[in-house]
Amino acid sequence: MTSPRRKGWTAALSLVVALALTIVPLPAAAEPFRPDFAALVLLYWALYWPQRVGLGVAFVVGLVLDTLKGAVLGQHALALCIIMYIAMRFHLRIRVFPLGQQMLTILMLLVVYQFVLFWIDGVVGTGDISLYRWGAVLTGTLMWPIATRVLRRLRLAS
């Protein structure tokens, strides 16, 4: 058996990798379709290990995202905390869904995430009203099966 401390490093390492993937430069045409890696990884851990990765971790990751992206401080933190709360509240139901229903649930959670970011941008006055920001929702949903497979292997191997 592995210790909970070692599994904690698995979650932390996956979040660091997700943050690194968030800042990797992409071509201008592909940038609007970059999945929200941090949101996907946090949602996975909220569904499959909510005792260790919770709202506090989501808040800190959100603050780091705000710093990396140059966004309003607390914007990503609030959005991630909202979707994490929903995922943690219903994690026992969501994780027994078939993959197709899980993808629909992740789609809805990512829509909520992007809507909160969109709303805060509008309130602050830096709003990007283009439809390109919603490409990340579609690619994130399509990445969910890959993310769950990779993170499950990491979780079971540790």
Side-chain angles (χ1 to χ4, degrees):
M1 283 234 148
T2 58
S3 67
R5 181 175 293 186
R6 185 169 176 199
K7 285 189 178 185
W9 282 107
T10 303
L13 181 64
S14 66
L15 287 168
V16 168
V17 169
L19 289 170
L21 288 173
T22 301
I23 61 171
V24 169
L26 288 178
E31 186 64 36
F33 299 101
R34 178 193 305 263
D36 295 313
F37 292 109
L40 287 174
V41 171
L42 281 170
L43 285 172
Y44 176 83
W45 292 116
L47 294 177
Y48 292 99
W49 205 23
Q51 302 85 357
R52 293 278 186 179
V53 180
L55 294 178
V57 173
F59 188 78
V60 170
V61 169
L63 290 178
V64 171
L65 270 176
D66 291 331
T67 305
L68 290 175
K69 290 187 172 188
V72 176
L73 193 62
Q75 177 180 11
H76 287 90
L78 175 64
L80 286 174
C81 283
I82 289 172
I83 65 168
M84 283 287 287
Y85 174 77
I86 295 169
M88 289 171 62
R89 175 75 172 92
F90 299 107
H91 78 279
L92 291 175
R93 293 180 188 174
I94 296 171
R95 70 183 191 186
V96 297
F97 286 167
L99 187 59
Q101 286 180 339
Q102 271 189 8
M103 287 175 67
L104 285 174
T105 305
I106 296 302
L107 173 73
M108 298 314 285
L109 289 170
L110 291 176
V111 164
V112 169
Y113 175 70
Q114 283 296 332
F115 179 76
V116 170
L117 295 178
F118 179 74
W119 177 69
I120 293 173
D121 281 343
V123 168
V124 174
T126 61
D128 178 20
I129 59 171
S130 69
L131 295 176
Y132 288 118
R133 77 182 310 140
W134 301 101
V137 172
L138 295 176
T139 55
T141 303
L142 295 175
M143 287 283 297
W144 179 250
I146 298 167
T148 55
R149 182 169 293 139
V150 169
L151 291 170
R152 181 178 295 133
R153 285 189 181 173
L154 281 175
R155 180 174 52 100
L156 296 177
S158 64

